[in-house]
């Protein structure tokens, strides 16, 4: 038997080589592409393992469960609700590595030094003059602009007498020189101010009041654009300046310090969120101590202390206690966007002489319409003002700022829209209509009229002592440990992902930059905590104010579970058990964020009152369970891909083996005539095919790894050795049916020409009709070619749709996009291999058709058919097989997409059309080899054999 097998392989080299090549290509290709699929899975899991986790795994908060999408504001949304005892119970849960509490106190009103030096604009030869300081404020990437009412500086060489005090019955103003003025008459001279402005001594001895404001309108909405402050300064004999618009509190005018430079403090305020932390827990969770850039880190003993410096704007030094200060670790950058351009000019003409004695309403047109010299503009940036103030506070060991209130913004309400976006609901009414206390504290906020939120103030005024913030150090939010990278940025407490433009119009309006908040404490977007104090200091503040939050001061607790270094079922179960135990011990709400990822949700921000148009933005949120969905999707995709590979390889080998056996029909019949039983004939066929399979498998195992390296695919030695059993198995399975047919061979029937019964058929008048009839004549072979191509087309549709879905965020996430970028190359390699095998299957079917119908083609050529017509016949047959394969492949591919992604988007229709067109072009190209074979057919010999 073995000698017979060897003899057959030697003497039928062409047939054996064809089978050997088919098996070699199929097994080697399957092995390499299996390595590609395995590489894809390993890369995907590796990418997930490096980005599946933020700095914490569980978020504990007192609010209602958030559902699938978690807002960035969730850790800071509540102002208390978790007690210190509950935090300690969370720390005691087995498996908890770190439990970091956060106690949000509110937004503090920081007052930076926005000073404008107008000394060089003063004409020292003039007796009286007015300097105009006109601010132009812009925010929201210069989309919101405000032309603010100017500040006027009245400078006079004539004596200016400041107000000293108000008499006990509050009906008389007493000035520094003893002059007494009726309060009602003073207020009537300067309506809307209450009177009390500095008095200028005229040449005739009269004393005329210089009103402290110039008013164009008393409407609340016009206070930033039609209400100007007027500051009076006396230019002394030594060319120094002394402020007259001040209350001396019983001191003489000479007690007001004179300055060589005339620097005007303009109103400015920077909102900053203050929160209490446990320094040790933050060190273990995010390495906050390693992010300190100046000063020192917080310690557990830092608490509220008496302030060493006064933070008021009074020119006089304090005579008693200056209040209490809250120690804070301040961020180096508050990530705010607001510019203040200040134009300084001197009014010309006789305007200055008409200022004393003019009413507030008369001053407005007088100063506004006056001619002025060309202005000099100075640019200021709110972020730079904050950094300068922080540096000065840390260097000079002075308070960062006084604080009048801690504002607690409420969650921003959203209204869902029909197109799937969420519309941010605007703030109703004027700022003052929400709460007068808010508007009073934040009246120095230039752009506070454009916010979208509301809030509750926790006032620090009216207390026994003033409050201030003292920076013990500064930290860089961007330097904190970021375990999960961009995929977990929405869970980053201190360095949040700002909103981005969702469409080309919005991106163009924003200049391809993110939208940042300005000086509106209730504006959009909300702010992360940038001023951090200790829980001890926070409790002291609550106790001092008698706050209701003192019993449960914590807003959230971020929990990291111990023993997790990769994303798998064990890690997920460990986190779930810890979360369940936290709920059991505390009754609080828990959100499992392990395996979550940042997603971008569309949000419509309505137009603002200061010129900003409506914007369509992408807000960063966290979608839970993303990593599990990605791993499951990749595993499904690889399973489907390997299944398609196996089907194509089996069809390719099976077609080759069955054709080889079919061509030996007469040889097997002769052996049957010599007495070989059917069992022996089937064993002969199986032995020959498995021998070829074994040889091809051994060669495939040798070349699989080098080919894998060329394709940048990792093929392990174990996977390479799979070529051997795979090749033997494929050839054995492919040869099973031909072996069974060989066992049934009957010598007489095989050696005789079969008479085919004539059948009446319709006349075939076109080449296309003849091609269709030829395909129907051998349905099994046609189906084999179609299924081979269908597997390739289905694989292309599946992987292309998966890549498209990943790019859209297959699971709507940055983690999905990261995985897609890394697995795309190996997936495309695997798909290309499947499609190549499918095209080879079609070429094989066409080639066998030409070989078996060689006599027919010779006859057609003999009766005058040109080669071009014969080639067209082959092209039509190729298109028939290709169309059938594409129909099956696209249908199967779309079904697989539904299984993988969960839906079929309308864009997949265009994808299916493109794949079908490409596949049909490839099948036409596959017909080139049979077309060349037709030209080489020995027509005379074939007709003679017939």
């Amino acid at each position: 038997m073995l000698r017979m097998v060897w003899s057959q392989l030697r003497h039928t080299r062409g047939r054996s080589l064809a089978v050997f090549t088919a098996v070699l290509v199929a097994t080697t290709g399957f092995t390499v592409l299996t390595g590609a699929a395995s590489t894809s899975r390993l890369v995907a899991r590796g990418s997930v393992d490096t980005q599946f986790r933020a700095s914490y795994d569980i978020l504990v908060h007192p609010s209602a469960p958030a559902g699938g999408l978690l807002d960035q504001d969730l850790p800071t949304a509540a102002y208390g609700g978790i007690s210190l005892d509950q935090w300690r119970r969370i720390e005691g849960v087995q498996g908890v590595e770190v439990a970091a509490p956060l106690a949000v106190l509110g937004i503090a009103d920081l007052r930076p030094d926005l000073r404008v030096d107008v000394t060089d604009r003063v004409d020292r030869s003039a007796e009286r003059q007015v300097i105009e300081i006109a601010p132009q404020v812009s925010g929201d990437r210069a989309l919101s602009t405000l032309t603010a009412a100017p500040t006027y500086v009245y400078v006079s060489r004539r004596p200016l007498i400041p107000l000293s005090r108000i008499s006990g019955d509050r009906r008389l103003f007493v000035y520094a020189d003893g002059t007494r003025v009726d309060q009602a008459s003073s207020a009537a001279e300067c309506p809307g101010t209450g009177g009390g402005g500095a008095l200028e001594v005229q040449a005739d001895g009269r004393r005329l009041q210089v009103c402290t404001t110039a008013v164009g309108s008393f409407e609340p909405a016009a206070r930033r654009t039609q209400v100007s402050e007027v500051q009076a300064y006396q230019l002394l004999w030594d060319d120094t300046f002394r402020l007259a618009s001040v209350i001396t509190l019983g001191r003489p005018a000479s007690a007001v310090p004179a300055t060589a430079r005339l620097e005007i403090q303009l109103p400015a305020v920077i909102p900053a969120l203050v929160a209490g932390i446990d320094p040790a827990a933050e060190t273990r969770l995010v390495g906050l101590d390693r992010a300190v850039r100046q000063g020192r880190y917080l310690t557990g003993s830092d608490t509220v202390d008496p302030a060493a410096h006064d933070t008021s704007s009074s020119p006089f030094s304090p005579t008693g206690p200056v209040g209490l200060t809250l120690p804070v670790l301040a961020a180096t950058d508050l990530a705010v966007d607001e510019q203040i351009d200040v134009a300084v000019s001197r009014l010309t003409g006789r305007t200055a002489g008409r200022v004393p004695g003019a009413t507030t309403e008369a001053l407005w047109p007088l100063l506004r319409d006056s001619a002025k010299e060309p202005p000099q503009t100075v640019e200021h940036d709110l972020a730079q003002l904050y950094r300068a103030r922080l540096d000065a506070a840390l260097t000079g060991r002075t308070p960062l700022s006084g604080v009048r209130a801690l504002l607690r913004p409420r969650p921003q309400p959203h209204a869902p829209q029909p197109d799937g976006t969420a519309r941010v609901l605007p703030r109703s009414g004027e700022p003052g209509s929400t709460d007068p206390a808010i508007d009073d504290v934040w009246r120095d906020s230039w752009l506070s009229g454009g916010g979208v939120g509301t809030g509750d103030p926790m006032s620090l005024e009216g207390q026994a002592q003033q409050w201030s913030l003292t920076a013990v150090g500064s930290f860089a939010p961007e330097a904190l440990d970021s375990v999960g990278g961009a995929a977990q940025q929405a869970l980053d407490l201190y360095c949040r992902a700002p909103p981005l433009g969702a469409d080309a119009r919005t991106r163009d309006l924003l200049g391809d930059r993110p939208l940042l908040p300005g000086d509106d404490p209730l504006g959009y977007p909300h702010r992360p905590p940038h001023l951090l104090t200790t829980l001890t200091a926070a409790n002291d503040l609550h106790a001092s104010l008698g706050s209701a939050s003192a019993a449960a001061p914590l807003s959230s607790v971020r929990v990291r579970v111990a023993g997790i270094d990769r994303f798998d079922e064990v890690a997920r179960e460990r986190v779930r058990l810890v979360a369940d135990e936290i709920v059991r011990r505390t009754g609080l709400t828990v959100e499992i964020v392990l395996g979550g990822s940042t997603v971008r949700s569309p949000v419509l921000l309505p137009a603002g009152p200061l010129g900003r148009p409506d914007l369509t933005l992408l807000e960063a949120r966290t979608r839970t369970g993303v990593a599990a969905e990605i791993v499951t999707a990749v595993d499904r995709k690889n399973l489907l891909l390997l299944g398609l590979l196996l089907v194509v390889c089996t069809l390719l080998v099976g077609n080759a083996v069955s054709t080889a056996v079919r061509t030996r029909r007469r040889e097997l019949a002769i052996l049957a005539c010599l007495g070989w039983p059917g069992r022996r004939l089937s064993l002969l066929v199986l032995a020959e095919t498995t021998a070829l399979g074994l040889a091809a498998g051994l060669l495939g195992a040798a070349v699989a790894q080098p080919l894998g390296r060329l394709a940048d695919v990792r093929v392990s030695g174990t996977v390479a050795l799979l070529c051997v059993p795979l090749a033997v198995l494929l050839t054995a399975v492919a040869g099973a049916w031909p072996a069974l047919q060989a066992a049934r061979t009957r010598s007489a029937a095989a050696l005789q020409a079969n008479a085919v019964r004539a059948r009446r058929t319709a006349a075939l008048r076109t080449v296309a009709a003849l091609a269709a009839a030829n395909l129907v004549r051998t349905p099994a072979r046609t189906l084999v070619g179609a299924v081979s191509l269908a597997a390739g087309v289905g694989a292309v549709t599946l992987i292309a749709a998966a890549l498209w879905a990943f790019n859209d965020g297959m699971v709507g996430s940055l983690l999905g996009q990261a995985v897609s970028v890394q697995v795309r190359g190996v997936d495309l390699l695997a798909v290309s291999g499947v499609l190549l095998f499918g095209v080879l299957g079609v070429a094989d079917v066409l080639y066998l058709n030409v070989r078996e119908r060689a006599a027919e083609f010779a006859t057609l050529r003999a009766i005058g058919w040109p080669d071009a017509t014969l080639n067209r016949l082959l092209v039509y047959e190729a298109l028939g097989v290709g169309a059938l394969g594409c129909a099956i492949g696209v249908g199967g591919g779309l079904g697989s997409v539904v299984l993988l992604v969960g839906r079929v988007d309308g864009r997949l229709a265009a994808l299916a059309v493109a794949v079908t067109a490409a596949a049909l072009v490839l099948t036409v190209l596959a017909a080139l080899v049979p077309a060349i074979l037709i030209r080489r057919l020995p027509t005379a010999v074939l007709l003679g054999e017939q």
Side-chain angles (χ1 to χ4, degrees), residues 862-879:
I863 63 176
W865 278 44
D867 288 341
T869 304
L870 294 176
N871 290 341
R872 190 149 49 95
L873 176 62
L874 280 177
V875 169
Y876 285 156
E877 292 183 11
L879 287 174

Side-chain angles (χ1 to χ4, degrees), residues 4-176:
M4 183 68 176
V5 170
W6 175 246
S7 177
Q8 284 293 327
L9 295 179
R10 287 177 56 198
H11 291 92
T12 57
R13 295 177 183 174
R15 185 172 61 215
S16 300
L17 183 60
V19 175
F20 177 83
T21 302
V23 177
L24 176 63
V25 170
T27 54
T28 305
F30 181 81
T31 303
V32 173
L33 296 180
T34 299
S38 177
T39 300
S40 170
R41 187 176 188 274
L42 290 175
V43 169
R45 281 196 170 273
S47 180
V48 169
D49 284 343
T50 58
Q51 303 184 63
F52 75 98
R53 193 183 193 191
S55 58
Y56 55 98
D57 306 314
I58 301 171
L59 178 66
V60 185
H61 61 92
S63 306
L69 287 180
L70 309 181
D71 287 337
Q72 291 191 97
D73 299 330
L74 187 57
T76 59
Y79 300 97
I82 302 176
S83 68
L84 296 178
D85 179 65
Q86 288 175 313
W87 167 45
R88 297 300 181 191
R89 277 183 267 165
I90 294 173
E91 281 190 315
V93 173
Q94 184 177 2
V96 171
E97 180 181 351
V98 184
L102 185 74
V104 178
L105 300 177
I107 293 180
D109 52 313
L110 304 185
R111 309 283 169 163
D113 295 325
L114 178 53
R115 295 179 179 273
V116 180
D117 191 338
V118 300
T119 307
D120 295 338
R121 303 295 291 183
V122 174
D123 181 3
R124 299 179 186 272
S125 64
E127 184 180 26
R128 293 182 290 191
Q129 57 195 299
V130 176
I131 309 297
E132 181 186 78
I133 305 173
Q136 178 79 21
V137 186
S138 62
D140 296 329
R141 299 303 184 190
L143 298 176
S144 294
T145 57
L146 173 71
T147 301
T151 292
Y152 294 100
V153 183
Y154 176 70
V155 182
S156 175
R157 286 196 176 271
R158 294 184 177 183
L160 284 171
I161 306 171
L163 179 65
S164 175
R165 59 186 175 86
I166 302 175
S167 66
D169 56 6
R170 301 184 62 85
R171 297 181 60 185
L172 292 175
F173 286 135
V174 180
Y175 283 83

Side-chain angles (χ1 to χ4, degrees), residues 180-198:
R180 296 174 178 267
V181 177
D182 180 71
Q183 184 177 358
S185 61
S186 178
E189 293 175 2
C190 300
T193 67

Side-chain angles (χ1 to χ4, degrees), residues 462-675:
Q463 305 295 316
Q465 294 176 305
Q466 296 179 353
W467 282 86
S468 62
L469 300 175
T470 297
V472 301
S474 65
F475 74 99
E478 67 277 4
L480 295 172
D481 295 344
S482 182
V483 180
Q488 304 298 334
Q489 191 176 3
L491 292 173
D492 196 324
L493 179 65
Y494 302 111
C495 193
R496 294 182 182 175
L500 305 174
D503 52 28
R505 167 185 165 273
T506 301
R507 288 190 293 272
D508 183 63
L509 288 171
L510 295 177
D512 286 325
R513 295 170 294 176
L515 182 65
L516 298 178
D519 68 358
D520 185 357
L522 299 177
Y524 179 90
H526 277 178
R527 308 158 198 276
H530 278 151
L531 299 178
L532 307 178
T533 189
T534 63
L535 292 180
T536 303
N539 289 337
D540 289 345
L541 175 65
H542 284 304
S544 175
L545 300 179
S547 171
S549 302
L554 304 183
S555 305
S556 61
V557 179
R558 291 157 293 142
V559 178
R560 185 167 67 203
V561 179
I564 296 178
D565 54 6
R566 60 175 301 176
F567 185 77
D568 53 21
E569 291 295 333
V570 175
R572 294 165 63 186
E573 183 63 15
R574 183 172 295 169
V575 172
R576 186 190 66 80
L577 291 175
V578 171
D580 289 346
E581 184 63 17
I582 291 174
V583 173
R584 190 187 70 80
R585 293 193 182 191
T586 64
L588 297 169
T589 302
V590 299
E591 308 286 353
I592 296 178
V593 299
L594 179 77
S597 179
T598 299
V599 299
R600 289 285 182 175
S601 301
V603 171
L604 178 61
L605 182 65
L610 299 176
R612 186 201 67 225
D614 59 279
L615 302 175
T616 304
L617 302 167
L618 292 175
E619 275 188 2
R621 293 187 172 92
T622 297
R623 179 175 173 180
T624 58
V626 167
E629 293 182 31
I630 289 177
V631 171
T632 301
V634 170
D635 288 344
R636 285 179 183 173
K637 180 254 307 174
N638 287 340
L639 182 62
L640 290 170
L641 187 57
L642 291 178
L644 291 173
L645 276 170
L646 188 60
V647 168
V648 174
C649 291
T650 302
L651 291 175
L652 186 64
V653 174
N655 200 27
V657 172
S658 62
T659 301
V661 173
R662 235 181 357 258
T663 58
R664 296 178 56 199
R665 188 166 179 267
R666 294 177 66 86
E667 299 175 17
L668 296 174
I670 293 173
L671 292 176
C673 290
L674 295 176

